[in-house]
Amino acid sequence: MFTNDDWNEAAVAEKPTFVDLPSGNYDVVLDKVTMREASTTKSGYELPPFVNYTFTVLSAGEYYGCLTQKEDGLWDKNCAAYVKRDIQMLGCVVPKNFNDIPLALQSAIGKTLNVTVKVTPRRDGKGDLRNIYLNRVTEIVVPPSLQKQREMNQISEENAQRLNKVAKKQDTFGGEYLGENEEIPF
């Protein structure tokens, strides 16, 4: 049974640390897949929808346990072909509607993968371009300590999303407002 002593002894979950991995091969576990809608920048440049993958690094070394992200922009048919290939490689069914990609990839969450990171300098000299290529699904077992960290990160992220929803609703005096039937998110 959970007691107040358990509460007082519990550590505060650390905020996930995102890193840009250097070039190389890494073992990772797929934590989350989301979709970023098409948008327009302040300068008027139109961006396509992006598929966002979040991974936890399993490879031993300084990046062990860190989070990293892969973004695939749906710029054209060629880009879409690579996304479809990755969906199939993850053992999922390619959806008919591209907006359903995150739903189609839900069964891949928790799978371990081998990926290759390639970093190349940008043509304009302003930084680097980082590509992450999914090589194959592996059968690596996620160590219990890292699994616990992944679960705590997920709980922290879910709470942040709930708090964000509450913060968006404001009353006329500028304070936070909870609707009559809404629960406090913590």
Side-chain angles (χ1 to χ4, degrees):
M1 174 179 232
F2 190 79
T3 66
N4 201 43
D5 289 336
D6 294 329
W7 173 256
N8 291 324
E9 292 173 12
V12 175
E14 293 181 23
K15 185 175 180 180
T17 305
F18 283 91
V19 297
D20 289 330
L21 297 171
S23 293
N25 282 339
Y26 299 90
D27 291 317
V28 299
V29 60
L30 180 60
D31 287 325
K32 182 171 74 170
V33 178
T34 59
M35 193 82 166
R36 188 174 75 197
E37 294 180 12
S39 61
T40 304
T41 65
K42 290 179 183 178
S43 62
Y45 187 72
E46 295 197 18
L47 295 172
F50 277 82
V51 181
N52 297 306
Y53 305 82
T54 302
F55 305 103
T56 299
V57 179
L58 297 175
S59 294
E62 77 176 281
Y63 301 108
Y64 177 80
C66 292
L67 300 177
T68 193
Q69 290 185 319
K70 166 186 169 63
E71 287 191 325
D72 284 333
L74 297 173
W75 295 94
D76 56 26
K77 290 178 185 177
N78 288 335
C79 295
Y82 290 115
V83 171
K84 285 182 173 184
R85 179 197 61 199
D86 287 346
I87 292 170
Q88 287 181 338
M89 192 268 307
L90 289 167
C92 299
V93 177
V94 175
K96 295 203 180 289
N97 185 324
F98 72 89
N99 288 310
D100 293 333
I101 292 171
L103 182 61
L105 288 171
Q106 287 306 300
S107 64
I109 303 298
K111 287 188 176 182
T112 54
L113 313 166
N114 181 269
V115 300
T116 298
V117 177
K118 288 190 180 177
V119 180
T120 55
R122 289 176 47 153
R123 289 184 214 159
D124 60 8
K126 298 179 182 177
D128 295 324
L129 296 174
R130 186 172 319 280
N131 289 317
I132 298 179
Y133 302 96
L134 307 182
N135 297 328
R136 66 186 177 282
V137 175
T138 61
E139 297 297 323
I140 297 173
V141 175
V142 179
S145 60
L146 187 57
Q147 180 63 28
K148 184 68 173 172
Q149 176 184 332
R150 291 175 62 236
E151 289 169 4
M152 293 302 290
N153 290 343
Q154 181 65 30
I155 290 168
S156 297
E157 184 174 320
E158 288 171 2
N159 284 336
Q161 288 173 354
R162 280 184 259 166
L163 286 171
N164 189 31
K165 287 178 185 175
V166 170
K168 286 181 181 177
K169 295 182 180 184
Q170 299 201 350
D171 65 12
T172 55
F173 299 103
E176 292 184 1
Y177 170 75
L178 290 177
E180 290 179 27
N181 297 325
E182 292 188 44
E183 294 181 25
I184 297 174
F186 45 86

